[in-house]
Amino acid sequence: MDQINSYLETHKERFIDELIQLLKIPSISADSAYKKDVILTAEEVKKHLENAGCDVVEICETDGYPIIYGEKIINNDLPTVLVYGHYDVQPPDPIDLWTSPPFEPVIKATKTHPEGAIFARGACDDKGQMYMHVKALEFMTNTDNLPCNVKFMIEGEEEVGSVNLATFVKNNQEKLKNDVILISDTGMIAKDVPSITTGLRGLSYVEVEVTGPNRDLHSGLYGGAVANPINILAKMIASLHDENNHITIPGFYDAVEDLSNEERAEMAKAPFNLDNYKDALDIKDVHGEKGYSTNERNSIRPTLDVNGIWGGYTGEGAKTVIASKAYAKISMRLVPHQKWENITQLFKTHFENIAPASVTVKVKPHHGGEGYVTPIDNIGYLAASQAYETTFGKKPIPQRSGGSIPIVALFERELKSKTILMGFGLDSDAIHSPNEHFGVWNYLKGIETIPYFYKNFTKLFQEEHK
Amino acid sequence: MDQINSYLETHKERFIDELIQLLKIPSISADSAYKKDVILTAEEVKKHLENAGCDVVEICETDGYPIIYGEKIINNDLPTVLVYGHYDVQPPDPIDLWTSPPFEPVIKATKTHPEGAIFARGACDDKGQMYMHVKALEFMTNTDNLPCNVKFMIEGEEEVGSVNLATFVKNNQEKLKNDVILISDTGMIAKDVPSITTGLRGLSYVEVEVTGPNRDLHSGLYGGAVANPINILAKMIASLHDENNHITIPGFYDAVEDLSNEERAEMAKAPFNLDNYKDALDIKDVHGEKGYSTNERNSIRPTLDVNGIWGGYTGEGAKTVIASKAYAKISMRLVPHQKWENITQLFKTHFENIAPASVTVKVKPHHGGEGYVTPIDNIGYLAASQAYETTFGKKPIPQRSGGSIPIVALFERELKSKTILMGFGLDSDAIHSPNEHFGVWNYLKGIETIPYFYKNFTKLFQEEHK
């Protein structure tokens, strides 16, 4: 099994180059202008799974972008690991803040990654982390180290809410049957502080439209006499948080679990330095819900953020206009037990209720998903923990993440198995931001660690099922 | 003098065609992409002034776009009328709401303009209204009806705050010496309700930038823990009005004149129907400062409107991002006695004061100008009033406008003469909006009325200076 190190030594240049080729394709699922590229990426993933040793690989059509399914079944008495990942990426804008083009990958050294990091949209989220699993499979098949069955399900709509994955999973429960689900689409605390994500937040994403007059108006002739949809939208958004930064939507907190002081004390043990946090973001002060720490605010508490806003004249110079319409994209991060459809409805009702008679309001639900928690006594978690211990030389810390992978809750519901989130990215990798990157060291460390998970899990599974 | 009607009959087709040619040039001063077109328009205006009979026409360079100066001096003992107008236009966006391209003028009949209106950006504001004066001069020179001296000052930066005109006026007081200034850049109440604008609001226009984290962040990993600049900007904008829609900036109302009940009662006599107003804008309710009527809110009261807002992801689909920056363009309409530089400073100080420590704020003053009032016993006003009476068959109503022509206050200060605002456009002409248009009837009526102003003014001036 320690062959992995020599195998990596021999093939790492190729592993890096293959990922770079994949990153050159702008598979932006949110923007239909890139449809061809998204589909081309799907075909590339299929090819790579075949080369890595899958016996069967299918491009499964959906109402949106295809899902790539691959499998290598070596023995039906052995457990099956289902790997999930996505080949689509976030839009790169604001494009002008990238120091190199988002789809022309380059390796640059950084303070955190002195041995170099691959800069490109999707480098970490999720092409790079997904491809670690493909290369780990290549190693296990080429060196007879695959101890169990493996299935892959790689989708192309994660960044737009996995709109068609739910149907696919519901309709393919037998095909996707597994004993544990393995995902690398999260991060770890630091290169020398390995961690495993045990909790995810849910998500409700909506778009709102506020309409005032039926046309843009001259702000001199009408200013002060008619409702300005931008001013009204600002007032409505402002009213969604009270002076303690609690969210004011009636019923919003009803299902939120209150963690015990013991649990909160346990969380507080994770290494965290507020000054370093503020320095890294170049902010004078943090900002959030009264009564909770920064780490609690972005993990165990639900939130509401405006992700985009636009209206009126936004070009160069000045235009004295009152816009007819103003828009915002608003997302809420949810904690376990909050149901996203319910929260979306609560938002819609509330937002429509607080609109003054001088405007009309439309709320368009976008997508969403539930939160998720993995118990740390689960054999999947133990297998992963031991794998990190082997390759990092220290036990990983269980960590609740503020991010969302909405389909994880769905997997548990439909496939009746737990998901293990083995992330190798870092917060500083700037996923969803300009200059996203993924450390070469982290990439190779992931490929090194994953095979140990397979070995440990198979062993623990067989003990459990003796 | 009644030759004007036969002259119009003979030449109106050409008058309309010449205006249409001028409207085809996209002279958008706010967008540097159109620089060539703005300059081409300046050259066209020079040519038209020469053809109309000016003895001297100069393209006067400035730090921005040139000012066209023209004159015809027939006798230094006679009074001099200075005509001001502008050849630049507002940006046409939102472009997709135009029923015909903004720079491909077409004549279409409307409910208000059964005899047809010219649809194009700038048709009314101000190419159409400016060109009425050029054609009125052509008539007067070709038929020996010019009773006094005339000067033209046509600028190309009115829609961006006349940034260089002030310097030009200060440095050319002798050249611009005049006895009355005549401007057509306002409207009248209705085709059968002629009116003259006797008051204008001032303007202060600023752009604000709110910066949170030093890069766009993943809203899951950071949401709830750091200040979201869009949410903060919304809260700051919302706080600029209280529950009665009074503006909350300290000192903002200090210089505002309180009109007497008599004056307010006089204003209230202007024909106005709130239901028609709401129907025309397709709104269920109006919205404005408590204690004032709709007509007062948009004329004698100062206002604050967001003219544009942007930040975060505004493209297709969804992006779960916390933006690093959010922006807004904000303008305040001012009433006489409010000094715009002072109001701009009050805004800047207040906006910086209310910013939480978790963000940094920049306020960039854009441009501005003072309000203005014309007394109705001024001989310029009387000359205009009699001119309307002759061509409309009824006495025009003096009216305060909510709009701003910042330069008018400067003219009075620097050139020591009063400005008469003879507007022939209608509120429904959609200036600054998609589908701007100018009624053919209004255009020709303007050309018909202007020569009577010259005749009346010369007569009243000579009586006054006997």
Side-chain angles (χ1 to χ4, degrees):
Chain A
M1 192 60 178
D2 21 9
Q3 299 158 265
I4 181 64
N5 295 312
S6 53
Y7 193 87
L8 271 172
E9 212 33 64
T10 319
H11 301 285
K12 66 181 181 193
E13 294 312 324
R14 174 172 57 84
F15 286 2
I16 292 165
D17 183 60
E18 286 174 6
L19 174 55
I20 283 176
Q21 296 314 314
L22 202 60
L23 290 169
K24 286 180 178 174
I25 316 171
S27 51
I28 305 165
S29 50
D31 187 342
S32 51
Y34 295 89
K35 191 160 195 251
K36 277 207 180 77
D37 300 295
V38 182
I39 286 161
L40 172 60
T41 311
E43 289 157 355
E44 285 297 306
V45 171
K46 175 174 188 286
K47 198 184 68 193
H48 287 301
L49 282 172
E50 287 163 345
N51 297 343
C54 282
D55 303 324
V56 179
V57 185
E58 303 162 356
I59 292 190
C60 309
E61 293 305 332
T62 71
D63 291 347
Y65 288 119
I67 292 159
I68 310 305
Y69 172 81
E71 66 174 35
K72 185 171 185 66
I73 307 299
I74 57 175
N75 179 340
N76 287 323
D77 301 334
L78 289 168
T80 301
V81 175
L82 172 64
V83 175
Y84 163 83
H86 62 96
Y87 61 83
D88 62 321
V89 301
Q90 282 272 321
D93 49 283
I95 196 85
D96 52 320
L97 295 185
W98 285 75
T99 54
S100 57
F103 298 105
E104 295 172 25
V106 287
I107 296 179
K108 288 181 273 190
T110 72
K111 195 150 143 291
T112 320
H113 301 293
E115 57 293 286
I118 303 169
F119 281 73
R121 167 60 82 225
C124 180
D125 176 16
D126 182 47
K127 282 176 177 169
Q129 295 217 81
M130 174 270 289
Y131 203 65
M132 296 184 308
H133 291 271
V134 181
K135 294 296 98 180
L137 174 66
E138 175 194 312
F139 159 71
M140 291 187 286
T141 49
N142 287 359
T143 61
D144 280 330
N145 275 300
L146 182 65
C148 62
N149 307 310
V150 57
K151 296 176 177 177
F152 280 79
M153 173 170 61
I154 313 299
E155 73 157 317
E157 299 182 306
E158 198 271 346
E159 299 296 3
V160 289
S162 304
V163 271
N164 295 292
L165 187 68
T167 318
F168 179 78
V169 170
K170 286 196 187 79
N171 299 343
N172 293 278
Q173 298 191 339
E174 191 48 40
K175 171 188 264 198
L176 300 172
K177 197 168 179 310
N178 67 80
D179 301 289
V180 68
I181 297 165
L182 189 57
I183 303 180
S184 296
D185 197 15
T186 50
M188 57 181 184
I189 293 169
K191 287 163 78 176
D192 57 351
V193 187
S195 59
I196 297 173
T197 301
T198 55
L200 291 167
R201 289 197 286 191
L203 180 73
S204 166
Y205 200 110
V206 300
E207 186 165 317
V208 301
E209 174 190 293
V210 175
T211 305
N214 55 5
R215 65 177 199 272
D216 287 9
L217 299 175
H218 186 294
S219 70
L221 302 182
Y222 291 90
V226 300
N228 178 326
I230 301 177
N231 290 74
I232 298 290
L233 176 59
K235 254 196 161 35
M236 292 174 76
I237 288 170
S239 77
L240 296 175
H241 291 91
D242 68 14
E243 66 283 7
N244 296 322
N245 285 306
H246 291 296
I247 292 156
T248 56
I249 299 167
F252 184 82
Y253 290 100
D254 288 358
V256 172
E257 59 166 351
D258 275 322
L259 269 71
S260 68
N261 294 338
E262 293 65 30
E263 289 172 283
R264 291 176 67 179
E266 196 50 46
M267 278 188 65
K269 288 183 184 153
F272 178 75
N273 179 309
L274 188 58
D275 292 329
N276 297 351
Y277 185 84
K278 288 191 285 187
D279 292 348
L281 299 174
D282 202 1
I283 52 177
K284 284 196 201 62
D285 200 359
V286 291
H287 179 99
E289 189 179 6
K290 193 175 177 186
Y292 294 91
S293 72
T294 292
N295 278 336
E296 291 173 332
R297 287 167 172 172
N298 64 17
S299 62
I300 62 168
R301 297 299 295 173
T303 62
L304 184 150
D305 274 297
V306 181
N307 301 112
I309 191 165
W310 67 104
Y313 182 66
T314 60
E316 190 189 341
K319 188 169 191 278
T320 50
V321 67
I322 292 176
S324 171
K325 290 174 183 291
Y327 306 83
K329 293 176 192 272
I330 299 176
S331 69
M332 289 156 282
R333 296 284 169 171
L334 311 177
V335 295
H337 311 318
Q338 282 184 300
K339 299 270 164 258
W340 77 270
E341 294 92 342
N342 172 37
I343 294 295
T344 303
Q345 189 51 54
L346 288 177
F347 177 93
K348 190 174 190 301
T349 306
H350 178 65
F351 206 74
E352 288 164 352
N353 287 345
I354 61 176
S358 49
V359 300
T360 56
V361 163
K362 269 193 215 151
V363 176
K364 182 177 127 210
H366 224 299
H367 66 277
E370 317 298 2
Y372 177 76
V373 175
T374 309
I376 63 176
D377 57 2
N378 169 283
I379 61 164
Y381 181 86
L382 295 173
S385 181
Q386 293 163 9
Y388 280 90
E389 232 177 313
T390 307
T391 56
F392 285 79
K394 58 175 75 167
K395 212 173 160 69
I397 297 171
Q399 185 198 31
R400 290 264 201 126
S401 162
S404 304
I405 312 178
I407 34 67
V408 171
L410 175 103
F411 290 163
E412 179 165 38
R413 203 164 58 245
E414 299 293 332
L415 304 176
K416 311 282 176 292
S417 51
K418 280 287 175 186
T419 293
I420 308 305
L421 300 159
M422 287 178 73
F424 295 90
L426 301 177
D427 275 6
S428 55
D429 289 347
I431 67 170
H432 289 214
S433 303
N435 306 311
E436 174 179 355
H437 56 281
F438 190 31
V440 170
W441 183 90
N442 302 63
Y443 176 54
L444 299 174
K445 203 66 175 174
I447 301 171
E448 177 189 349
T449 308
I450 290 163
Y452 289 100
F453 170 84
Y454 281 78
K455 182 180 170 218
N456 303 338
F457 182 76
T458 306
K459 184 161 161 296
L460 289 164
F461 181 88
Q462 288 170 325
E463 286 165 9
E464 200 175 58
H465 293 71
K466 266 212 198 81
Chain B
M1 192 60 177
D2 20 9
Q3 297 158 266
I4 180 64
N5 294 311
S6 54
Y7 193 87
L8 270 174
E9 213 31 65
T10 317
H11 300 286
K12 65 182 180 191
E13 294 312 323
R14 174 172 58 84
F15 287 1
I16 292 165
D17 183 61
E18 286 174 6
L19 174 56
I20 284 176
Q21 297 313 314
L22 201 60
L23 290 169
K24 286 182 178 173
I25 316 172
S27 51
I28 305 164
S29 51
D31 187 342
S32 51
Y34 295 89
K35 191 162 196 257
K36 279 208 179 73
D37 300 297
V38 182
I39 286 161
L40 172 60
T41 311
E43 290 158 353
E44 285 298 305
V45 170
K46 175 174 188 285
K47 196 184 68 193
H48 287 301
L49 281 171
E50 287 163 345
N51 298 343
C54 282
D55 302 324
V56 178
V57 184
E58 304 163 357
I59 293 190
C60 309
E61 294 305 331
T62 72
D63 291 346
Y65 288 118
I67 293 161
I68 311 304
Y69 172 81
E71 67 175 34
K72 185 170 184 67
I73 307 299
I74 55 175
N75 178 341
N76 287 324
D77 302 332
L78 289 169
T80 301
V81 175
L82 172 64
V83 175
Y84 164 82
H86 62 95
Y87 61 84
D88 62 322
V89 302
Q90 281 272 321
D93 51 284
I95 196 85
D96 51 320
L97 295 185
W98 285 75
T99 54
S100 59
F103 297 105
E104 296 172 25
V106 287
I107 296 180
K108 288 181 274 192
T110 72
K111 196 151 143 289
T112 320
H113 301 292
E115 57 293 287
I118 304 169
F119 281 74
R121 169 59 81 225
C124 180
D125 177 16
D126 182 47
K127 283 175 177 170
Q129 295 217 80
M130 174 269 289
Y131 204 64
M132 296 184 308
H133 291 272
V134 180
K135 294 297 99 178
L137 174 65
E138 173 193 311
F139 159 72
M140 291 186 285
T141 49
N142 288 358
T143 60
D144 280 330
N145 275 299
L146 183 64
C148 62
N149 307 309
V150 57
K151 297 175 177 178
F152 280 79
M153 173 170 62
I154 312 299
E155 72 157 317
E157 298 182 306
E158 198 272 346
E159 299 296 2
V160 290
S162 303
V163 272
N164 295 294
L165 188 67
T167 319
F168 179 78
V169 170
K170 285 196 186 78
N171 298 343
N172 294 277
Q173 297 191 339
E174 190 48 41
K175 170 188 260 189
L176 299 173
K177 198 167 179 312
N178 67 81
D179 300 290
V180 69
I181 298 166
L182 189 57
I183 303 179
S184 296
D185 197 14
T186 51
M188 58 182 183
I189 292 171
K191 286 163 76 177
D192 56 352
V193 187
S195 60
I196 298 174
T197 301
T198 54
L200 292 166
R201 288 197 286 190
L203 180 73
S204 165
Y205 200 111
V206 301
E207 186 165 316
V208 300
E209 173 189 292
V210 176
T211 305
N214 55 5
R215 63 175 199 274
D216 286 9
L217 299 174
H218 186 294
S219 69
L221 302 182
Y222 291 89
V226 299
N228 178 326
I230 301 177
N231 289 76
I232 298 290
L233 177 58
K235 254 197 160 36
M236 293 173 75
I237 289 170
S239 77
L240 296 176
H241 290 91
D242 68 15
E243 65 284 6
N244 297 322
N245 286 305
H246 289 298
I247 293 157
T248 57
I249 299 167
F252 184 83
Y253 289 100
D254 288 358
V256 172
E257 59 166 350
D258 275 321
L259 269 71
S260 67
N261 294 338
E262 293 65 30
E263 289 172 285
R264 291 176 68 179
E266 196 50 44
M267 279 188 64
K269 289 184 184 154
F272 179 75
N273 178 308
L274 188 58
D275 291 328
N276 297 352
Y277 185 83
K278 288 191 284 186
D279 291 348
L281 299 175
D282 202 0
I283 52 177
K284 285 196 200 62
D285 199 0
V286 291
H287 179 99
E289 188 180 8
K290 194 174 176 185
Y292 294 90
S293 73
T294 292
N295 278 337
E296 290 172 332
R297 287 167 173 173
N298 65 17
S299 63
I300 62 167
R301 297 298 295 172
T303 62
L304 184 151
D305 274 296
V306 181
N307 301 112
I309 191 166
W310 67 103
Y313 182 67
T314 60
E316 190 188 344
K319 188 168 191 279
T320 51
V321 67
I322 292 176
S324 170
K325 291 175 182 290
Y327 306 83
K329 293 175 192 275
I330 300 175
S331 68
M332 290 157 282
R333 296 285 170 171
L334 311 177
V335 295
H337 311 319
Q338 283 183 300
K339 298 269 164 260
W340 78 270
E341 293 94 340
N342 172 36
I343 292 294
T344 302
Q345 189 51 53
L346 289 176
F347 177 94
K348 188 174 192 300
T349 307
H350 178 66
F351 206 74
E352 287 164 353
N353 287 344
I354 61 176
S358 50
V359 299
T360 56
V361 164
K362 270 192 214 149
V363 176
K364 183 178 128 210
H366 223 300
H367 66 276
E370 318 297 3
Y372 176 76
V373 176
T374 310
I376 62 176
D377 56 3
N378 170 283
I379 61 165
Y381 181 85
L382 294 174
S385 181
Q386 293 163 9
Y388 280 90
E389 234 178 310
T390 305
T391 57
F392 285 78
K394 58 174 77 168
K395 210 171 163 69
I397 297 171
Q399 186 197 29
R400 290 264 202 126
S401 161
S404 305
I405 311 177
I407 209 66
V408 171
L410 175 105
F411 290 162
E412 178 163 39
R413 204 163 57 245
E414 299 293 332
L415 304 176
K416 311 279 177 292
S417 52
K418 281 287 175 186
T419 293
I420 307 305
L421 300 159
M422 287 177 73
F424 295 91
L426 301 177
D427 275 6
S428 55
D429 289 346
I431 66 169
H432 290 214
S433 302
N435 306 310
E436 174 180 355
H437 55 281
F438 190 31
V440 169
W441 183 91
N442 302 65
Y443 175 54
L444 299 175
K445 203 67 175 174
I447 301 172
E448 177 190 349
T449 307
I450 290 163
Y452 288 100
F453 170 84
Y454 281 79
K455 182 179 168 218
N456 302 338
F457 181 76
T458 307
K459 184 162 162 294
L460 289 165
F461 181 89
Q462 289 169 323
E463 286 166 7
E464 199 176 58
H465 293 71
K466 267 213 198 82

